Amino acid sequence: MKTGKEGFQERVGWLLGAGRKSGGDGVTAAVQCDRDRMAIPGRCLPCCAALLAFIALFGAVLPAHVKKAMEESPETYSHYYDHKELSERLHSLAQAYPELCRLSSLGMSVEGRELWVMRVTADPDAVPPERPQFKYVGNMHGDETVSRQVLVYLLRYLLENYGREPRVTALLNATDIYIVPSLNPDGFQRAQEGDCQGEKGGRENARQLDLNRNFPDQFTNQQPPDPQQVPEVVAMMRWIQENRFVLSGNLHGGSVVASYPYDDSSSHMETGFYSKSSDDKVFQYLAKAYASNHPIMKTGHPRCKGEEEEFFPDGITNGAHWYDVQGGMQDYNYVWGNCLEVTFELSCCKYPPASELAQEWENNRESLLKFMEMVHVGAKGFVRDSVTQKGIENVTISVSEINHNITTGKLGNFQRLLAPGTYNITASVTGYLPQTITQVEVKEGAATVLDFQLNPTVSVVADDSLGTTSAPLPTAEHPASAKPENIPPVHRPIQPQDYRHHHYSDMEIFLRRYNSEYASITHLYSIGQSVESRELYAMAISDNPLVHEPGEPEFKYIGNMHGNEVVGRELLLNLIEYLCKNYGTDPEVTQLVNTTRIHIMPSMNPDGYEKAQEGDRDGVVGRNNSNNYDLNRNFPDQFFQITDPPQLETLAVMSWLKTYPFVLSANLHGGSLVVNYPYDDDEKGLSMYSKSPDDAVFQQLALSYSKENTKMFTGSPCKEIYPNENFPQGITNGANWYNVPGGMQDWNYLNTNCFEVTIELGCVKYPVASELPTYWESNHRSLLEFIQQVHKGIKGFVLDATDRRGIFNATVSVADINHPVTSDKAGDYWRLLVPGTYKVTASARGYLSLHLPVLLSLTSWSSNL
């Protein structure tokens, strides 16, 4: 009896050959496709009607013949499959095991080869929602070939042993498995057997592009992948986005190690920089599951040629720490696909002789099985409506202290991979009250089962003349008692109710909730990421929050620059709640939101916050960022050279200020109770009054805040801690208090059109949560009054006199005040001033200057020019 490739083809040829002889494609016709159930965006393959009719009549007989033929041709591990044979074998498996698998294509390579994917699971036409999706992708680099073979061996092993081996049977009953043997079939065709170092070509696709450098990258701004240049990448991205993969393995060659995210960093150091993801602990746990079952990988000493001294503890490594890879697939899976992917290097030799394939399969079989089983660890369950008991789709599942959320499926199902430990897990979605299950214990093995029951928010019917709205019922309000008709009701703004300390995941839930529930007036965005990759969120609140409206000023609040000074963070979340809930009913809030775009950044230093401790009065734990730099000493300074490297958070804020035409800002701190205005330092480095050209304006701005806070205005706020400290009217020049080189408020004033003050909100840096309502009560009037100041002074447009078009970057200067401002793209400008008489000049390159006298009186402290 013939064996190997010849015998295999001869025994199944009678099933597949008829279509080819008649000019059809009998191979593809034999595949059963189900576009709706496979959840694969690839094409259902063309079918031959006659052959399909034959299959319908003899469906019970045909697979048995194929299975028998395959069983008579055991795998010999004697050669690599070219694309034709790979296609035939995959089709044959799909034909032989229709009750377990479906074959489809993700798309085509540059040279028109199918990117095959086999789905393997029990009863693939009726997969229950709790069955998580898992995938393996091989041969991404065409000359790294071991994965291409072992994944086909794995497919056959799973299919042949279902119903025979309890482990395989349990795996297919509980897991929706997808296997892509070759993502780069074009490169494989050019690669050469025996090329261990990748010197003979085939790594890249047919356009000579590295597929593992062409995915969107979280640390690099780059153009989206071009479908003409890297169709393989585009197909993979589409597939990831259209599915809900939980766990994935990306199989490579050239070493023997498990590499986990992140694969690069913002610094793009070539090697040696540990780029930690939010799920670093989970990734290590997953990587070790594979490595510990591989006889070479687990030693940490692959001893590859030229790298004999290379050592990987436990057989695993952080990707960027090994070497920096921009545009890698595993990071894309994690950041954009919510799928945790690990990259496995299977062999030192990239394209080893076929004689080594049997040993490679033996080395990797247990690891491949074990890693698939890891898709079932962590926490899983359903999120349901507590009233209807229906599953809720797209609910955010967040884990406290892990800055990476997942969402539920169509039936409310979720699977959150976690390492063993104890966690607080929250489910939140628009229209429901969030629910947190605390002290969830995750053990080795099967996932902990959680069932969330979310309570819908209450519908409130408005007056018939205003239509009907749906909103959460304000718990602070009580039914109004009956009043005589001639006495108008007293308006009471809705006060915040969420008085607690919000760790990062809680803050993220809060921001997303209000952005979702008040979408018409809010826009949630991120200005960048912290060192530990937490988003630096900002919420824009306005009647048109997505765009800058010409003539409407931009205002900002920034909190929590020092991570252990937390009152500002919580007050800004309170302010978001207050503005959203009172818009349209409270005249003051409605006027502010309609005439101002208010940007609120609750935390500039989320990494430091996570290290800080509740109850800290005057400590320093968590003050600095994750690199241990004080962010308020990290900005370029007018008097001194700042030698510390600029931090990610600093650079993000600087870029933010160059993007929006901010007019006024406050930086919220803690540790005292005072408003501090520029300058923060002087050229001598001494504690002495350092006056800016706009000293009078800054004093007025500072007073607008302090006078609304009774305790602050007294000027002696922290007697117990600082008995000798005294601030008349609750304000101080920064440098006169103490010298701060590299501060943010001075940089705002000197490098942009934005006037910024620093507000110290309390003597205790991290007060206990029970005291937070008092802070809101003391500061909420001040917060609102300070926003109003953005409308003081003069404002208007600088226009071309002939065509009335706005002039961008025109200079608006005030005589005797050495601080000009510039116009924005529409020619709009704002110049904060105190009451007085001024001579204002507008000038622009190529235009004659215009001089105007201006009188700003106490009764009309604002003017349009």
Side-chain angles (χ1 to χ4, degrees), residues 103-334:
L103 180 65
S104 188
S105 171
L106 303 183
M108 304 281 276
S109 68
V110 172
E111 294 179 343
R113 295 181 174 90
E114 298 283 358
L115 305 175
W116 296 120
V117 55
M118 183 76 88
R119 182 189 192 188
V120 182
T121 191
D123 194 7
D125 291 335
V127 176
E130 66 268 18
R131 194 177 294 180
Q133 288 184 298
F134 174 94
K135 65 181 169 71
Y136 273 131
V137 178
N139 199 210
M140 185 180 199
H141 290 145
D143 63 342
E144 298 171 11
T145 59
V146 170
S147 62
R148 181 184 174 103
Q149 291 301 123
V150 298
L151 287 181
V152 180
Y153 304 155
L154 176 64
L155 279 171
R156 185 163 178 170
Y157 179 85
L158 293 173
L159 295 170
E160 290 182 351
N161 286 286
Y162 180 79
R164 298 178 181 178
E165 289 191 9
R167 184 184 188 186
V168 172
T169 303
L171 185 62
L172 268 61
N173 283 342
T175 320
D176 199 6
I177 301 167
Y178 298 77
I179 294 178
V180 180
S182 180
L183 187 61
N184 188 1
D186 297 352
F188 176 81
Q189 291 302 115
R190 294 192 304 279
Q192 299 182 34
E193 187 172 342
D195 180 13
C196 287
Q197 303 302 315
E199 298 169 343
K200 299 180 180 179
R203 175 185 177 91
E204 293 85 9
N205 75 348
R207 303 284 191 205
Q208 297 302 306
L209 292 170
D210 189 327
L211 300 184
N212 208 32
R213 303 295 187 278
N214 271 276
F215 284 81
D217 188 272
Q218 70 271 30
F219 297 115
T220 307
N221 291 323
Q222 59 192 51
Q223 293 297 317
D226 184 346
Q228 298 301 315
Q229 298 297 312
V230 282
E232 304 90 347
V233 170
V234 174
M236 177 57 66
M237 288 171 57
R238 183 177 63 243
W239 188 47
I240 291 170
Q241 292 300 321
E242 294 185 4
N243 282 272
R244 299 185 61 84
F245 293 112
V246 176
L247 181 61
S248 173
N250 179 11
L251 308 187
H252 284 249
S255 188
V256 185
V257 66
S259 165
Y260 54 88
Y262 287 128
D263 248 345
D264 67 339
S265 68
S266 58
S267 66
H268 293 300
M269 285 178 55
E270 187 174 342
T271 185
F273 185 91
Y274 197 115
S275 187
K276 183 185 292 187
S277 74
S278 298
D279 278 293
D280 189 68
K281 183 180 178 182
V282 184
F283 275 119
Q284 291 189 47
Y285 182 56
L286 296 169
K288 286 178 183 178
Y290 195 104
S292 63
N293 287 284
H294 191 290
I296 299 172
M297 196 179 293
K298 68 181 180 182
T299 68
H301 288 283
R303 304 193 188 285
C304 297
K305 183 179 180 181
E307 302 287 349
E308 288 81 3
E309 301 305 315
E310 197 165 44
F311 175 62
F312 304 105
D314 296 317
I316 70 174
T317 182
N318 174 262
H321 192 260
W322 187 16
Y323 62 95
D324 194 81
V325 174
Q326 299 180 40
M329 183 167 71
Q330 72 174 7
D331 286 7
Y332 176 83
N333 270 269
Y334 179 62

Side-chain angles (χ1 to χ4, degrees), residues 650-684:
T650 307
L651 294 172
V653 168
M654 291 167 64
S655 176
W656 186 36
L657 266 69
K658 295 293 187 180
T659 304
Y660 295 88
F662 290 114
V663 178
L664 180 60
S665 171
N667 178 12
L668 307 188
H669 283 246
S672 189
L673 192 61
V674 65
V675 183
N676 157 16
Y677 55 88
Y679 289 135
D680 250 343
D681 65 342
D682 76 322
E683 58 187 348
K684 297 178 181 178

